[in-house]
Amino acid sequence: MNILMALSQLEVTGAEVYATTVGDELTKRGHRVCYVSDTLTKPHLGEFFKLRFNKRSVPRRFWHVAYLVYLIKKHRIQVVHAHSRASSWSCYVACKITGTAMITSVHGRQPVHASRKKFHALGDKALAVCEAVREQLITSLGVAPELINIGRNGINTEHYQPCPAPHNTKPVISIIGRLTGPKGELCYRLLDECLDLDNYQVQIASGSVVPERFARFKTKVQFLGYVQDVPALIAQADLVIGAGRVAMEAILMQRPIFAIGEANAIGLVNEDNLTGAMSSNFGDIGPKDLDIDFSRLAADIASALMQPSPSAGLVAQVKVQYDLQAVVEQLEQEYQSVYVHKQRREMPIIMYHRFIKDDTEKGVHGTYMHVDMLEKHFKLLKRLGYETLIFSDLAKQGVAERLNPNKKYIMLTVDDGYKDNYELLFPLLKKYNFKAVIYAVTGEEFNRWDVEQPDNPEKRVPLMSPAQIKEMANSGLVEFGGHTLTHPHLDTLDKETQRFEIAENKAQLEQLIGKPLYSFAYPFGSHNQDSKDLAKELGYPYAVATNSGPLAMHEDKYQIRRIAIFPRTDVFGLWRKIRGNYVFRKRK
């Protein structure tokens, strides 16, 4: 996907570290990530466009919006991800003009005023970095709860490994954070009121220019400026003071962290107070700013220096909550959801069954397609520029690949594994160089499930032979998926009977073709929670239904919706069904 990260800042902030950290990981996963901001200090992958969001006059605001519209159109941006109030306002207007999906990460407490209540400018989804931010957005600004998810900071745990305690002759205290705004006020008061600068070696890492009022501390405090190697700085400290990402990074390195931020002082973080610390982003967000009793901090900091390093259990909990891979997985989900629902478009997954060459082969259930019409379908797909995807492609490249703005994808699926798939479909796949997924029943030789239906019996139609299945699988054009042994209504069976039907079918197919199966199709589309749980448990990354499941396929990988193709689906009918918005219109 094409993603634009938007920030407004004049110095390095936690938002920039977050945006570039997750942005680089997204880039490694195949997305194209660009940045627009006043400044961007952290090394990053992807293009950077300079825009002075902090110049907020009315003419400037118009210029911000116009430039963002230009970037969105030129670079075919699919999702704008804003990270600050100033950038989110302009991004919101630009996205309204262009119809672009937008997400805003809210990294701190928001100012409350009438205009902000009426005009949140958060876009299609807000990601609050902690529970306190989410609560404030709901209670103070009136943002609908369903529009807000928790989106933790992502930490690359490989960069922050546990390290032994240093052997300093004098306790080293590292303060990491800005020297401007509320954090600057906090740092000043720590130096002025709380820290024994004669007995502690205090060093401050900040991207801020040192304000003049800090000059009085320069003889006793090391002002390091912007530090590129933060892990090395943390490793040499007996105690780290900070909030937000700083706290998480220190815990991962098993260095004691005294969490204090713009709202409150958590103190030394341990397993007992971790949940509360996380909910406030380690002291950064609370009901009001600087709600801190500074008279107690000197004693609390002295006590913290005497405590042991964070436990392995504490490190493990932080890894679970802030692991970069998990955070980026969530972001990919959010991006896909806002994009698909905003555009009301999804990659079409169409469903055939069997194919005929003359009218004598017609059935009574309407699950056939004349091969001549099938070729007309393929000609249309080729003419419209469609490329075919199969589930192994998605497993390797990620589900978001289906939304690649430079491609036009469709997925062809065929149920049951009839012999005519080999005789009629296979030659056309070769001719048009299309790929398809065939869901094969392995415990029957013909369509017994339809033939022995008492109310409306179908004519007998043979299934493919093992040799035919193997030949198609070896062609590189056909991916086989599971479809049970006998094609039952799974939701009528107990769990263990379902397990046998699904597991044995999978084992037989994998042994036959010598390849793993990537998806399973519920016969008749009938399933229950046991069916979905078993598909996952037995190793299927994906499972498809028929006309049930979310409209966006990534939102439930075990109930992927498909579009049925019927005998009367002519070329125009196919075009209507593959435009991308068919399931959205159908659900109205």
Side-chain angles (χ1 to χ4, degrees):
M1 298 183 72
N2 290 345
I3 302 151
L4 179 65
M5 299 281 187
L7 305 98
S8 57
Q9 54 182 31
L10 300 175
E11 58 186 315
V12 180
T13 64
E16 177 181 327
V17 178
Y18 170 89
T20 53
T21 300
V22 299
D24 284 354
E25 180 59 30
L26 287 164
T27 300
K28 292 174 185 175
R29 293 185 178 207
H31 301 280
R32 180 172 176 244
V33 182
C34 306
Y35 303 85
V36 59
S37 178
D38 301 75
T39 62
L40 200 65
T41 304
K42 293 286 293 181
H44 59 277
L45 305 173
E47 294 180 81
F48 166 59
F49 307 102
K50 189 176 182 66
L51 185 60
R52 296 182 177 180
F53 283 113
N54 276 284
K55 301 286 187 180
R56 302 184 188 183
S57 66
V58 173
R60 281 281 185 177
R61 295 266 194 179
F62 278 109
W63 165 243
H64 297 163
V65 172
Y67 187 63
L68 287 167
V69 168
Y70 163 77
L71 290 178
I72 289 168
K73 290 186 175 181
K74 180 178 180 181
H75 298 281
R76 302 181 67 189
I77 298 300
Q78 294 168 283
V79 178
V80 173
H81 188 165
H83 295 271
S84 62
R85 291 188 297 274
S87 66
S88 69
W89 189 94
S90 300
C91 289
Y92 181 82
V93 178
C95 287
K96 280 290 186 183
I97 292 171
T98 58
T100 306
M102 177 183 166
I103 282 177
T104 298
S105 279
V106 186
H107 296 268
R109 188 169 180 269
Q110 301 296 291
V112 179
H113 45 72
S115 63
R116 186 69 170 164
K117 288 183 178 181
K118 291 182 179 179
F119 189 60
H120 303 138
L122 296 175
D124 302 291
K125 180 72 72 172
L127 299 178
V129 296
C130 66
E131 287 78 1
V133 169
R134 185 177 190 274
E135 184 64 22
Q136 195 232 352
L137 290 173
I138 295 169
T139 58
S140 299
L141 294 178
V143 180
E146 63 270 18
L147 295 181
I148 315 169
N149 288 341
I150 300 296
R152 306 279 189 203
N153 278 301
I155 304 292
N156 191 333
T157 55
E158 294 180 2
H159 293 169
Y160 299 93
Q161 295 294 323
C163 63
H167 299 287
N168 299 314
T169 55
K170 185 160 61 169
V172 173
I173 296 178
S174 295
I175 301 175
I176 304 174
R178 281 178 284 164
L179 296 178
T180 59
K183 278 194 170 63
E185 176 65 21
L186 170 64
C187 184
Y188 185 87
R189 293 191 66 176
L190 286 172
L191 298 177
D192 189 45
E193 304 173 34
C194 307
L195 296 175
D196 185 345
L197 302 182
D198 293 318
N199 291 314
Y200 301 149
Q201 180 182 333
V202 179
Q203 50 190 18
I204 299 176
S206 175
S208 308
V209 175
V210 181
E212 187 176 339
R213 66 175 179 156
F214 284 86
R216 57 185 286 250
F217 302 116
K218 284 189 174 180
T219 58
K220 294 184 176 181
V221 174
Q222 289 180 281
F223 290 90
L224 305 176
Y226 175 70
V227 174
Q228 187 70 38
D229 192 355
V230 174
L233 177 68
I234 292 174
Q236 64 184 253
D238 293 286
L239 183 68
V240 178
I241 296 180
R245 295 181 64 89
V246 173
M248 308 160 209
E249 292 163 358
I251 291 170
L252 289 170
M253 295 184 67
Q254 285 192 287
R255 305 308 310 126
I257 173 70
F258 193 91
I260 180 170
E262 296 180 20
N264 53 63
I266 302 296
L268 187 71
V269 180
N270 54 44
E271 290 189 66
D272 293 332
N273 64 12
L274 177 62
T275 300
M278 291 192 303
S279 70
S280 66
N281 202 28
F282 296 89
D284 244 5
I285 295 98
K288 58 182 179 179
D289 295 336
L290 289 175
D291 185 20
I292 297 169
D293 181 2
F294 283 87
S295 65
R296 297 179 49 189
L297 293 188
D300 290 344
I301 290 170
S303 175
L305 282 164
M306 304 298 293
Q307 302 303 312
S309 299
S311 67
L314 185 64
V315 174
Q317 290 184 62
V318 169
K319 279 186 177 181
V320 168
Q321 291 290 329
Y322 299 96
D323 174 68
L324 179 62
Q325 300 304 319
V327 168
V328 173
E329 287 281 352
Q330 180 195 357
L331 270 184
E332 283 190 310
Q333 291 286 106
E334 302 284 6
Y335 290 158
Q336 291 173 75
S337 289
V338 296
Y339 176 77
V340 169
H341 291 289
K342 182 86 170 185
Q343 303 300 325
R344 293 176 60 82
R345 288 190 174 276
E346 178 56 281
M347 178 186 73
I349 304 175
I350 60 176
M351 174 180 62
Y352 296 98
H353 284 79
R354 65 185 188 90
F355 307 97
I356 65 172
K357 53 184 182 297
D358 60 62
D359 288 350
T360 62
E361 299 171 312
K362 287 182 177 180
V364 297
H365 290 169
T367 56
Y368 58 87
M369 168 66 59
H370 197 287
V371 68
D372 293 343
M373 182 57 70
L374 177 65
E375 181 157 21
K376 290 178 182 179
H377 284 188
F378 282 11
K379 285 180 178 178
L380 175 68
L381 296 179
K382 187 66 77 173
R383 186 161 59 249
L384 294 177
Y386 279 97
E387 297 180 41
T388 50
L389 275 181
I390 52 180
F391 281 106
S392 57
D393 296 329
L394 297 181
K396 293 168 188 171
Q397 301 172 48
V399 179
E401 170 60 23
R402 76 193 193 281
L403 304 177
N404 187 325
N406 302 313
K407 299 286 187 178
K408 198 172 181 180
Y409 284 128
I410 190 169
M411 184 176 286
L412 309 177
T413 68
V414 188
D415 284 12
D416 302 338
Y418 293 104
K419 184 180 178 182
D420 53 64
N421 290 186
Y422 175 81
E423 297 171 338
L424 303 178
L425 169 67
F426 193 28
L428 289 180
L429 294 176
K430 294 176 183 176
K431 181 176 179 178
Y432 291 92
N433 195 31
F434 283 162
K435 296 186 288 186
V437 182
I438 296 179
Y439 295 105
V441 172
T442 56
E444 303 285 2
E445 294 182 355
F446 66 97
N447 57 331
R448 186 190 303 275
W449 58 91
D450 281 338
V451 172
E452 297 182 358
Q453 192 177 117
D455 297 333
N456 192 22
E458 180 62 274
K459 64 173 58 178
R460 179 175 172 139
V461 182
L463 302 181
M464 280 186 284
S465 69
Q468 291 168 335
I469 290 174
K470 193 167 185 177
E471 181 184 341
M472 293 179 82
N474 290 337
S475 70
L477 297 175
V478 177
E479 173 183 287
F480 280 91
H483 204 40
T484 71
L485 288 173
T486 63
H487 203 283
H489 286 275
L490 288 173
D491 58 354
T492 66
L493 306 179
D494 63 67
K495 189 170 183 177
E496 288 312 306
T497 306
Q498 288 193 51
R499 182 190 301 277
F500 179 75
E501 282 277 351
I502 298 170
E504 188 63 23
N505 169 248
K506 185 173 188 285
Q508 290 178 6
L509 280 170
E510 288 182 335
Q511 183 177 17
L512 174 62
I513 65 177
K515 300 175 184 179
L517 304 190
Y518 287 92
S519 64
F520 173 77
Y522 306 109
F524 304 106
S526 302
H527 64 281
N528 54 23
Q529 191 58 48
D530 283 344
S531 317
K532 296 170 70 171
D533 292 343
L534 285 167
K536 184 175 183 178
E537 178 188 327
L538 293 169
Y540 282 112
Y542 310 97
V544 298
T546 51
N547 61 348
S548 68
L551 300 182
M553 70 170 290
H554 68 281
E555 292 177 350
D556 189 343
K557 295 178 184 176
Y558 291 91
Q559 193 174 350
I560 296 173
R561 180 180 289 266
R562 293 187 291 169
I563 301 169
I565 303 297
F566 299 106
R568 293 186 178 181
T569 305
D570 59 12
V571 173
F572 178 72
L574 179 69
W575 174 79
R576 286 180 60 251
K577 290 186 174 187
I578 64 173
R579 292 178 61 196
N581 64 351
Y582 178 76
V583 294
F584 292 89
R585 290 187 290 107
K586 190 178 178 184
R587 278 285 292 269
K588 279 187 176 181

